[in-house]
Amino acid sequence: MVRSGLTAAGLLAPASAVVAVGLVLPLVLLFRYSLNRFVPGQFMVEALTAENYVRFAADPYYLAILRTTILMAVGVTLVCLVLAFPVAMVLARARGRWKTVLLLAVVLPLFVGNAVRAAGWMVAFGQRGVVGSLMEAAQLPPVTLMYTPFAVFVGILSVNLPFVVLTLSSVLEGIDERASEAALSLGATPAAAWRLVTLPLSLPGVLAAGVLCFILTMNAYATPVLLGGPRFRMMAPTVAGEVLQQSNWPFGAAISFVLMAVTLALTAGANILVARRHRG
Amino acid sequence: MVWGSGFRERLGRFAFRTAAALGLGLVLLPLVLVAWLSFFSNEILSLPPEGYSLRWYGAALAQPQFIGGLWTSAAVALLATAVGLLVTLPASFVLTRRAFPGREAVVQLLMSPLVVPAIVIGSALYMAFVEFEVMTEMPLTGSVAGLALGHALLTIPWGLRLLTANLAGLNPAIEEAALSLGARPVVAVAKVTLPLIWPGVVAAALFSFVVSFGNLEVSLFLVAPGQTTLPIAILQYLQWKIDPTIAAVSVVQILVVAAGLLLTDRLVGLGRVV
């Protein structure tokens, strides 16, 4: 069909051009700007300095934001994997109409957008919301949930679960059911069959899902903004704040690259760690 | 392994079911709560509700930022889907049919909008747009065209995934038969290949639409006062307060996305897409 190399190049060109012009070029520009100097009142002054990166690394305020983001990402990923695995197993085993319903239940929230889902948690955690009213009805002392790290944790967990469930269930569907049936027929308890057969076979999927969940949390924007409130800071909202509210492009650009570099380093580290464990 | 199996197994099954129900509940609960709030008759969030009413749907329609946002989002999503498909379709042909040096690099490039954090894509595009505006004096930020370009970028990885999966399952001999019978390549693609991969094209289109329609992080940088998308309008309102009006707007967004997904399921089966 696509015989000549010239035709092939011509067919690849439009998509590559969109990504090159719309993403690669702006990223290069962003990196260049991260080396510029921000002078209040003058906007951006051309320079070749690492001072934006140094400022990030030297300021405890920003380091705390990075630490909060990483801790949140690790915590959410661990809980997410534990809760998503059973859901993925149910989804992988489901058949026919029931499967469609389950799939829709997982995919619909995924595409509805994070703001709408945060709105749902605001109904739950708000001052006169579901949890508050239940506590009042049970005559328990009121607890503040809104604008706490806990609210953000639950919100991101809910946002990421569909991604993790879908990744895990696609891996589980590829595992031959007869493997765990064999274990059961040889006398293993369901728990032992799961631990000794299903889990090891699905480990690559668990890693992929975990890495995806980690990356999504590192980059979370709407959930920390809406459920964490103005005083709870994570990386993505900080980037947006520097670029849009402070108009400090160089520093916003530098934070963007810190975020990408840290995420990349940690996910690569996890991959190596799991690969080594797996081999040994 | 017989010992204790009765109690332990029941305990294990209970733990498994609890975790599955908890996971599914955490995913669905926010949508259920938003839908519930949208029917409250009281103006502020307060439980239990004083009664139920549909008037907030009318109130939501009366707010220009939501109606405007809905149209902007729809226009942007349609345009982004069209551009995305137009560039992704030919690329997926080449990537499934030809092995060439640097193929992996091209795939990496085209998938990169999914790898780079959306907030970083948004920042970078915003700065590039502003520089472009300074150079050409053509407004890009806050325009439907600018938003559509940003969103088209995001649709490319999804379209590529769905289309290459469909094309890979297609026997190239059918196409070659058309060609050997004298059809020009363009005719062969239009009359033979496209009808055969039609489900994949529909799925790619619907997914692209939904990805664009729900986007927040990139839109955030590219909207302007008076020209926002629906998710941004929702976000800005929620930063201020939560009430039945915004819940009604959210339900509209949920319905649009649900319609897109149900249509996908009808046409190609949801299980084949995700």
Side-chain angles (χ1 to χ4, degrees):
Chain A
M1 184 73 227
V2 189
R3 293 251 162 75
S4 79
L6 210 61
T7 321
L11 293 174
L12 281 174
S16 312
V18 170
V19 180
V21 174
L23 184 60
V24 178
L25 214 61
L27 277 180
V28 172
L29 196 70
L30 190 72
F31 183 68
R32 178 64 192 82
Y33 285 175
S34 76
L35 304 174
N36 278 347
R37 189 168 284 143
F38 177 72
V39 181
Q42 273 187 59
F43 189 50
M44 190 162 68
V45 178
E46 204 144 313
L48 224 88
T49 164
E51 67 182 28
N52 297 299
Y53 293 96
V54 172
R55 179 182 165 202
F56 185 94
D59 193 333
Y61 174 76
Y62 292 107
L63 288 178
I65 294 176
L66 182 61
R67 194 179 55 230
T68 308
T69 310
I70 294 174
L71 283 177
M72 186 64 83
V74 171
V76 167
T77 303
L78 293 178
V79 177
C80 212
L81 284 173
V82 171
L83 290 179
F85 210 104
V87 182
M89 282 171 78
V90 173
L91 187 63
R93 284 181 201 157
R95 292 287 171 271
R97 216 181 172 76
W98 172 230
K99 173 144 200 154
T100 308
V101 171
L102 264 180
L103 210 52
L104 204 60
V106 174
V107 178
L108 175 64
L110 186 72
F111 283 117
V112 159
N114 300 350
V116 168
R117 282 187 287 171
W121 291 114
M122 289 167 102
V123 179
F125 297 146
Q127 210 166 31
R128 311 219 21 122
V130 177
V131 177
S133 311
L134 286 175
M135 299 287 275
E136 201 179 322
Q139 301 197 323
L140 290 164
V143 283
T144 311
L145 289 175
M146 199 57 201
Y147 302 138
T148 62
F150 174 77
V152 179
F153 182 85
V154 174
I156 297 181
L157 192 63
S158 162
V159 164
N160 290 0
L161 268 166
F163 287 101
V164 177
V165 167
L166 290 175
T167 311
L168 286 177
S169 79
S170 72
V171 173
L172 289 172
E173 273 170 15
I175 297 175
D176 197 335
E177 263 175 51
R178 285 171 296 184
S180 81
E181 277 163 17
L184 289 172
S185 77
L186 289 170
T189 61
W194 181 82
R195 188 168 50 82
L196 296 170
V197 179
T198 311
L199 183 63
L201 283 175
S202 59
L203 216 54
V206 173
L207 179 66
V211 165
L212 178 66
C213 183
F214 181 83
I215 293 175
L216 286 170
T217 315
M218 290 294 287
N219 301 334
Y221 174 76
T223 318
V225 165
L226 291 175
L227 297 177
R231 274 190 311 178
F232 181 79
R233 304 300 300 266
M234 278 174 68
M235 287 294 274
T238 309
V239 170
E242 288 297 335
V243 173
L244 289 174
Q245 273 114 50
Q246 317 288 333
S247 289
N248 189 343
W249 288 11
F251 193 50
I255 302 179
S256 297
F257 281 97
V258 170
L259 173 62
M260 285 198 286
V262 170
T263 310
L264 203 68
L266 289 175
T267 49
N271 272 315
I272 293 168
L273 208 71
V274 171
R276 190 173 295 165
R277 276 282 266 321
H278 215 45
R279 204 158 8 107
Chain B
M1 278 297 218
V2 183
W3 46 268
S5 77
F7 176 69
R8 282 195 164 203
E9 260 182 46
R10 256 182 297 152
L11 194 70
R13 215 174 298 140
F14 177 75
F16 175 81
R17 284 185 184 154
T18 310
L22 189 63
L24 212 52
L26 274 171
V27 172
L28 286 175
L29 188 66
L31 299 195
V32 174
L33 289 177
V34 160
W36 188 34
L37 177 65
S38 75
F39 297 118
F40 281 21
S41 64
N42 31 311
E43 205 180 328
I44 54 161
L45 168 62
S46 156
L47 286 165
E50 287 159 17
Y52 292 96
S53 145
L54 282 172
R55 67 185 162 125
W56 304 115
Y57 285 87
L61 289 178
Q63 301 221 21
Q65 80 264 35
F66 295 131
I67 288 296
L70 183 63
W71 290 128
T72 307
S73 284
V76 167
L78 280 177
L79 203 58
T81 303
V83 173
L85 274 187
L86 226 54
V87 302
T88 314
L89 204 53
S92 357
F93 266 98
V94 180
L95 291 173
T96 37
R97 295 293 158 79
R98 267 181 80 104
F100 56 91
R103 184 183 175 281
E104 200 44 43
V106 175
V107 173
Q108 291 291 337
L109 175 74
L110 297 183
M111 293 305 283
S112 62
L114 216 54
V115 182
V116 180
I119 207 90
V120 176
I121 298 181
S123 307
L125 264 181
Y126 169 66
M127 293 178 194
F129 278 11
V130 171
E131 291 296 345
F132 182 80
E133 281 171 5
V134 171
M135 278 194 306
T136 62
E137 293 185 7
M138 265 166 58
L140 256 184
T141 48
S143 72
V144 170
L147 279 162
L149 175 65
H151 287 192
L153 201 64
L154 302 176
T155 69
I156 288 176
W158 290 93
L160 198 69
R161 243 177 62 174
L162 291 165
L163 290 172
T164 48
N166 260 265
L167 278 165
L170 188 73
N171 186 354
I174 306 172
E175 234 171 55
E176 278 154 22
L179 288 174
S180 74
L181 287 170
R184 281 182 297 130
V186 180
V187 177
V189 168
K191 295 226 158 140
V192 177
T193 317
L194 273 185
L196 283 172
I197 59 158
W198 190 239
V201 177
V202 172
L206 286 164
F207 255 64
S208 302
F209 184 90
V210 169
V211 164
S212 162
F213 193 83
N215 180 271
L216 254 178
E217 286 91 346
V218 173
S219 304
L220 181 73
F221 292 89
L222 306 183
V223 295
Q227 177 79 304
T228 61
T229 63
L230 185 59
I232 297 292
I234 294 176
L235 179 81
Q236 286 170 346
Y237 193 97
L238 282 173
Q239 280 182 285
W240 174 42
K241 67 172 175 180
I242 171 105
D243 63 13
T245 306
I246 194 66
V249 176
S250 302
V251 171
V252 172
Q253 162 131 348
I254 295 172
L255 290 178
V256 171
V257 173
L261 289 176
L262 283 173
L263 206 61
T264 312
D265 188 52
R266 247 317 135 72
L267 291 169
V268 288
L270 209 52
R272 288 178 50 194
V273 182
V274 288

